Amino acid sequence: MSPKDEPMRQALQLAAKGLFTTAPNPRVGCVIVKEGAIIGAGHTQPIGGNHAEVQALNDAQEKGHDVRGATVYVTLEPCSHTGNTPPCADALIQAGVAKVVASIEDPNPLVAGKGLARLHAAGVAVECGMLADEAREMNIGFLSRMERGRPWVRMKIAASLDGKTALMNGQSQWITSAAARDDGHAWRARACAVLTGIGTVQKDDPQLTVRAVVTPRQPRRIVVDSKLAINEKARMLEGGAWVFVAEADEQKAKALRDAGTEIIRMPDRDGKVDLTAMMTELGKRMINELHVEAGAVLNGALLRAGLVDELLVYTAPCILGDARGMFALPTLHVLTQKFTLRFHDVMQIGDDLRILARVG
């Protein structure tokens, strides 16, 4: 760790305070340094509120500090367009700061280097790239939506050491420990939406809400239900949900719509939901991170379609033997057909191992 990086590390810590709150905006932290001391700090507020840079400027002003000639450390390039708030680049210029250090450029086409260019044109020194990897991790979903037009897809699975997720009779509560389940809720909370399949809804009737950690907002709930087979009293529909279908009985669809559920018809050529088109639609609806908690059928379909970015697997120290697996996948005949993953992070949570494995 370099002392030079310390202000940016503190900015990243501030950005993490927006982990559950800033979507669909990115999570951004900012600190203002003058004569070796931090004189202002802030992070992006929920949508419609101040961005991190303005929060930090206001913080410095409230403490009686003069920011003229200061250096600003911010985890994402300051915006250069007017959205719900005025451009942050302009606020920094007007405040008279001497230098802006950004971790990464903002890939939003409305920004994409224009913020740093505007600062440079106004005589503010600019630097970009400090702790870039950490900054990308903080906003992996936002960057995915901006760069690929679809959310970052994280598939959560709880399994035994031999990769089984339930007994053949469907019993699965509980394979993993309470600590692992609570940790899973924290990952659920950071997502913009939670996705499941109709099989899971019919078998478990899940709520798909965040309950084990404190969060100011609940993620959107989504179900893939090709033939609109969902029970109108399903718990996940309470408070509104999105249901992706290939076909639907119009009378039932109307009843669900009247009760606050949105029905989105998106069929593929086989009469199922077009999963690739669904991901594009979710990107348009500003879903940054999509948290999947489904059964083997939908898990396998998403994996085969190349739509899974990472697996969040909680592995319990037990063996279930002849039981249900993680994915419904076709039989492979040569090892070159295998799905390749790489371990990104491995940690013990309670009695279990949490494995974050990325595709590709």
Side-chain angles (χ1 to χ4, degrees):
M1 184 182 300
S2 168
K4 180 184 177 183
D5 296 343
E6 185 56 29
M8 191 65 79
R9 292 193 184 280
Q10 294 192 38
L12 285 164
Q13 291 172 6
L14 287 167
K17 292 185 176 182
L19 200 63
F20 302 163
T21 61
T22 65
N25 288 336
R27 304 151 181 150
V28 183
C30 178
V31 299
I32 303 173
V33 176
K34 189 173 183 180
E35 297 177 356
I38 293 177
I39 62 171
H43 65 277
T44 297
Q45 301 300 294
I47 190 165
N50 290 333
H51 290 187
E53 299 92 328
V54 173
Q55 284 289 106
L57 289 170
N58 289 346
D59 182 50
Q61 183 180 38
E62 290 170 4
K63 292 175 178 176
H65 295 300
D66 183 357
V67 302
R68 288 176 294 180
T71 297
V72 176
Y73 293 82
V74 60
T75 58
L76 185 70
E77 174 186 9
C79 63
S80 55
H81 67 289
T82 299
N84 291 314
T85 59
C88 292
D90 289 353
L92 294 171
I93 292 167
Q94 292 164 8
V97 303
K99 184 177 182 179
V100 172
V101 180
S103 286
I104 55 175
E105 287 191 7
D106 187 342
N108 184 340
L110 297 173
V111 187
K114 299 182 185 74
L116 294 176
R118 183 177 294 188
L119 289 162
H120 179 72
V124 179
V126 297
E127 180 182 326
C128 190
M130 182 178 290
L131 302 183
D133 290 345
E134 291 90 335
R136 287 192 66 86
E137 286 294 323
M138 180 63 63
N139 283 302
I140 201 163
F142 175 78
L143 297 176
S144 173
R145 181 166 66 86
M146 289 298 158
E147 294 169 351
R148 305 186 301 177
R150 68 174 183 84
W152 180 264
V153 178
R154 180 180 298 114
M155 182 176 286
K156 180 257 183 181
I157 300 171
S160 62
L161 194 59
D162 55 342
K164 306 302 181 180
T165 61
L167 301 182
M168 293 306 292
N169 63 11
Q171 184 179 346
S172 62
Q173 296 180 351
W174 300 102
I175 294 173
T176 54
S177 65
R181 296 195 296 274
D182 289 353
D183 190 72
H185 273 250
W187 286 90
R188 191 186 276 185
R190 67 173 281 167
C192 297
V194 179
L195 174 76
T196 195
I198 184 58
T200 298
V201 175
Q202 291 176 327
K203 180 171 68 73
D204 298 334
D205 193 22
Q207 293 176 266
L208 296 182
T209 54
V210 178
R211 300 179 300 281
V213 299
V214 177
T215 178
R217 63 112 175 105
Q218 290 289 340
R220 173 73 62 179
R221 290 169 291 177
I222 307 171
V223 61
V224 175
D225 182 7
S226 294
K227 300 185 184 304
L228 195 60
I230 194 166
N231 188 313
E232 294 176 35
K233 301 297 183 182
R235 294 197 297 172
M236 70 158 291
L237 298 180
E238 295 172 5
W242 295 344
V243 181
F244 281 85
V245 303
E247 58 183 81
D249 175 81
E250 191 50 44
Q251 184 175 355
K252 183 175 183 180
K254 183 180 184 304
L256 286 167
R257 290 190 188 102
D258 290 345
T261 297
E262 184 172 357
I263 311 298
I264 305 152
R265 190 173 182 274
M266 202 156 280
D268 65 9
R269 290 177 293 182
D270 298 321
K272 298 180 179 180
V273 172
D274 188 326
L275 298 176
T276 300
M278 179 186 72
M279 292 301 176
T280 300
E281 177 65 19
L282 293 179
K284 292 176 181 177
R285 292 174 178 237
M286 297 192 290
I287 300 298
N288 291 342
E289 293 183 24
L290 181 66
H291 183 90
V292 179
E293 293 195 28
V297 173
L298 182 55
N299 284 351
L302 289 168
L303 196 62
R304 291 195 307 274
L307 297 173
V308 180
D309 295 303
E310 65 185 5
L311 301 179
L312 178 66
V313 182
Y314 294 90
T315 303
C318 66
I319 294 174
L320 299 184
D322 187 15
R324 298 181 182 182
M326 301 181 188
F327 309 98
L329 293 170
T331 300
L332 303 184
H333 301 288
V334 291
L335 282 174
T336 54
Q337 295 176 319
K338 67 181 181 291
F339 289 91
T340 302
L341 306 170
R342 56 183 174 83
F343 291 125
H344 181 73
D345 182 71
V346 179
M347 178 181 294
Q348 184 162 351
I349 305 290
D351 295 330
D352 310 308
L353 281 184
R354 185 187 72 193
I355 301 170
L356 196 64
R358 292 191 171 165
V359 177

